[in-house]
Coordinates of all heavy atoms in Angstrom, one line a residue:
Q1 N 115.7 84.0 95.0 CA 116.4 85.2 94.7 C 115.9 86.4 95.4 O 114.7 86.4 95.9 CB 116.3 85.4 93.1 CG 116.9 84.3 92.3 CD 118.4 84.1 92.7 OE1 119.2 85.0 92.5 NE2 118.8 82.9 93.2
P2 N 116.7 87.5 95.5 CA 116.3 88.6 96.3 C 115.4 89.6 95.7 O 115.0 90.6 96.3 CB 117.7 89.3 96.7 CG 118.5 89.0 95.4 CD 118.1 87.6 95.0
D3 N 115.0 89.4 94.4 CA 114.1 90.4 93.8 C 113.1 89.7 92.9 O 113.2 88.5 92.6 CB 114.9 91.3 92.9 CG 115.6 90.6 91.7 OD1 115.0 90.4 90.7 OD2 116.8 90.3 91.8
V4 N 112.0 90.4 92.6 CA 111.1 90.1 91.5 C 111.3 91.2 90.5 O 111.6 92.3 90.8 CB 109.7 89.9 92.0 CG1 109.5 88.7 92.8 CG2 109.2 91.2 92.8
R5 N 111.0 90.8 89.2 CA 111.4 91.8 88.1 C 110.5 91.6 86.9 O 109.9 90.6 86.7 CB 112.9 91.5 87.7 CG 113.1 90.1 87.3 CD 114.5 89.7 86.9 NE 115.5 89.8 88.0 CZ 116.8 89.5 87.9 NH1 117.3 89.2 86.7 NH2 117.6 89.6 89.0
V6 N 110.4 92.7 86.1 CA 109.7 92.6 84.9 C 110.4 93.4 83.7 O 111.3 94.2 84.0 CB 108.3 93.3 85.0 CG1 107.4 92.6 86.1 CG2 108.4 94.8 85.3
G7 N 110.1 93.0 82.5 CA 110.7 93.7 81.3 C 111.9 93.1 80.8 O 112.2 91.9 81.0
T8 N 112.7 93.9 80.1 CA 113.9 93.4 79.5 C 115.0 94.5 79.7 O 114.8 95.7 79.7 CB 113.7 93.3 77.9 OG1 114.9 92.8 77.3 CG2 113.2 94.5 77.3
F9 N 116.2 93.9 79.8 CA 117.4 94.8 80.0 C 118.2 94.9 78.7 O 119.1 95.7 78.6 CB 118.3 94.3 81.1 CG 118.8 92.9 81.0 CD1 119.9 92.6 80.2 CD2 118.1 91.9 81.6 CE1 120.3 91.3 80.1 CE2 118.5 90.5 81.5 CZ 119.6 90.3 80.7
D10 N 117.8 94.1 77.7 CA 118.6 94.1 76.5 C 117.8 94.1 75.2 O 118.3 94.0 74.1 CB 119.6 93.0 76.4 CG 118.9 91.6 76.4 OD1 117.7 91.6 76.5 OD2 119.7 90.6 76.3
G11 N 116.4 94.2 75.4 CA 115.5 94.1 74.2 C 115.2 92.7 73.7 O 114.4 92.6 72.8
A12 N 115.8 91.7 74.4 CA 115.6 90.3 73.9 C 115.2 89.4 75.1 O 114.1 88.7 75.0 CB 116.8 89.8 73.3
I13 N 115.9 89.4 76.2 CA 115.6 88.6 77.3 C 114.5 89.2 78.1 O 114.5 90.4 78.5 CB 116.9 88.4 78.2 CG1 117.9 87.6 77.5 CG2 116.5 87.7 79.5 CD1 119.3 87.5 78.2
V14 N 113.5 88.5 78.4 CA 112.3 89.0 79.1 C 112.0 88.3 80.5 O 112.2 87.1 80.6 CB 111.0 88.8 78.3 CG1 109.7 89.2 79.0 CG2 111.1 89.5 76.9
A15 N 111.7 89.2 81.5 CA 111.4 88.7 82.8 C 109.9 89.0 83.2 O 109.4 90.0 82.8 CB 112.3 89.3 83.9
R16 N 109.4 88.1 84.0 CA 108.0 88.3 84.5 C 108.1 87.7 86.0 O 109.0 87.0 86.3 CB 107.0 87.5 83.8 CG 106.8 87.9 82.3 CD 106.0 86.9 81.6 NE 105.8 87.2 80.1 CZ 105.3 86.5 79.2 NH1 104.8 85.2 79.6 NH2 105.2 86.9 78.0
S17 N 107.1 88.1 86.8 CA 107.2 87.7 88.2 C 105.8 87.2 88.7 O 104.8 87.6 88.1 CB 107.7 88.8 89.1 OG 109.0 89.1 88.8
F18 N 105.8 86.4 89.8 CA 104.6 85.9 90.4 C 104.6 86.1 91.9 O 105.7 85.9 92.5 CB 104.5 84.4 90.0 CG 104.4 84.1 88.6 CD1 105.5 83.8 87.8 CD2 103.1 84.2 87.9 CE1 105.4 83.6 86.4 CE2 103.0 83.9 86.6 CZ 104.2 83.6 85.8
L19 N 103.5 86.4 92.4 CA 103.3 86.6 93.9 C 102.2 85.7 94.3 O 101.1 85.6 93.7 CB 103.0 88.1 94.2 CG 103.9 89.1 93.6 CD1 103.4 90.5 94.0 CD2 105.4 88.9 94.2
G20 N 102.3 85.0 95.5 CA 101.3 84.2 96.0 C 100.8 84.7 97.4 O 101.6 85.2 98.2
W21 N 99.5 84.6 97.7 CA 99.0 85.1 99.0 C 98.2 84.0 99.7 O 97.3 83.4 99.1 CB 98.1 86.3 98.6 CG 98.8 87.3 97.8 CD1 98.7 87.5 96.4 CD2 99.8 88.3 98.2 NE1 99.5 88.5 96.0 CE2 100.2 89.0 97.1 CE3 100.3 88.6 99.5 CZ2 101.1 90.0 97.1 CZ3 101.3 89.6 99.5 CH2 101.7 90.3 98.4
Q22 N 98.4 83.9 101.0 CA 97.6 83.0 101.8 C 96.4 83.7 102.3 O 96.5 84.6 103.2 CB 98.5 82.5 103.0 CG 99.7 81.7 102.4 CD 100.6 81.2 103.6 OE1 100.6 81.7 104.7 NE2 101.5 80.3 103.2
L23 N 95.2 83.4 101.9 CA 94.0 84.2 102.0 C 93.0 83.7 103.1 O 91.9 84.3 103.2 CB 93.3 84.2 100.6 CG 94.1 84.8 99.5 CD1 93.3 84.6 98.2 CD2 94.4 86.3 99.7
A24 N 93.3 82.7 103.9 CA 92.4 82.2 104.8 C 91.9 83.3 105.7 O 90.7 83.3 106.1 CB 93.0 81.1 105.6
G25 N 92.6 84.3 106.1 CA 92.2 85.3 107.0 C 91.2 86.3 106.4 O 90.6 87.1 107.1
L26 N 91.0 86.2 105.1 CA 90.0 87.1 104.4 C 88.7 86.4 104.1 O 87.7 87.1 103.6 CB 90.6 87.6 103.1 CG 91.7 88.7 103.2 CD1 92.2 89.0 101.9 CD2 91.1 89.9 103.9
R27 N 88.6 85.1 104.3 CA 87.4 84.4 104.0 C 86.1 85.0 104.6 O 86.0 85.1 105.8 CB 87.5 83.0 104.4 CG 86.4 82.0 103.8 CD 86.7 80.6 104.2 NE 88.0 80.2 103.6 CZ 88.7 79.1 104.1 NH1 88.2 78.4 105.1 NH2 89.8 78.8 103.6
G28 N 85.2 85.4 103.8 CA 83.9 85.9 104.2 C 84.0 87.4 104.7 O 82.9 87.9 105.1
K29 N 85.1 88.1 104.5 CA 85.2 89.5 105.0 C 84.7 90.4 103.9 O 84.7 90.1 102.7 CB 86.7 89.8 105.2 CG 87.3 89.0 106.3 CD 86.7 89.2 107.7 CE 87.5 88.6 108.8 NZ 87.6 87.1 108.7
Q30 N 84.2 91.6 104.3 CA 83.6 92.6 103.4 C 84.8 93.5 103.1 O 85.1 94.5 103.8 CB 82.5 93.3 104.0 CG 81.3 92.4 104.3 CD 80.2 93.2 105.1 OE1 80.1 94.4 105.1 NE2 79.2 92.4 105.7
V31 N 85.4 93.3 102.0 CA 86.6 94.1 101.6 C 86.2 95.5 101.1 O 85.4 95.7 100.2 CB 87.4 93.3 100.5 CG1 88.6 94.2 100.0 CG2 87.9 92.0 101.0
R32 N 86.8 96.5 101.8 CA 86.6 97.9 101.4 C 87.7 98.4 100.5 O 87.4 99.2 99.6 CB 86.6 98.8 102.7 CG 85.3 98.5 103.5 CD 85.4 99.2 104.9 NE 85.8 100.6 104.8 CZ 85.9 101.4 105.9 NH1 85.5 100.9 107.1 NH2 86.3 102.6 105.8
R33 N 88.9 98.0 100.7 CA 90.0 98.4 99.8 C 91.1 97.4 99.9 O 91.4 96.9 101.0 CB 90.5 99.8 100.2 CG 91.6 100.3 99.3 CD 92.1 101.8 99.7 NE 93.3 102.1 99.0 CZ 93.3 102.6 97.7 NH1 92.2 102.7 97.0 NH2 94.5 102.9 97.1
A34 N 91.8 97.2 98.8 CA 93.0 96.4 98.8 C 94.0 97.0 97.9 O 93.7 97.5 96.8 CB 92.7 95.0 98.3
E35 N 95.3 97.0 98.3 CA 96.4 97.6 97.5 C 97.6 96.7 97.6 O 98.0 96.3 98.7 CB 96.7 99.0 98.1 CG 97.8 99.7 97.3 CD 98.1 101.1 97.7 OE1 97.3 102.0 97.2 OE2 99.0 101.4 98.5
L36 N 98.2 96.4 96.4 CA 99.5 95.7 96.4 C 100.6 96.8 96.5 O 100.6 97.8 95.8 CB 99.6 95.0 95.0 CG 101.0 94.4 94.7 CD1 101.3 93.3 95.6 CD2 101.0 94.0 93.2
E37 N 101.6 96.5 97.4 CA 102.7 97.4 97.6 C 104.0 96.7 97.4 O 104.2 95.6 98.0 CB 102.6 98.0 99.0 CG 101.3 98.8 99.2 CD 101.3 99.6 100.5 OE1 102.1 99.3 101.4 OE2 100.5 100.5 100.6

């Protein structure tokens, strides 16, 4: 589907979402800052 979503549009039906990340490029790195956008 074209979107990820959270909450309810009618007070009854609830949506949640999941995101996955391929992290091999970060292995052993000294992370200074990370932000989800």
Side-chain angles (χ1 to χ4, degrees):
Q1 297 302 299
D3 64 81
V4 289
R5 55 182 66 176
V6 298
T8 179
F9 57 83
D10 65 355
I13 295 171
V14 174
R16 300 170 180 169
S17 291
F18 298 93
L19 310 175
W21 309 99
Q22 298 179 342
L23 300 174
L26 285 176
R27 189 176 301 162
K29 302 296 193 295
Q30 299 176 15
V31 175
R32 290 171 44 177
R33 179 178 172 81
E35 182 173 279
L36 171 66
E37 298 191 343

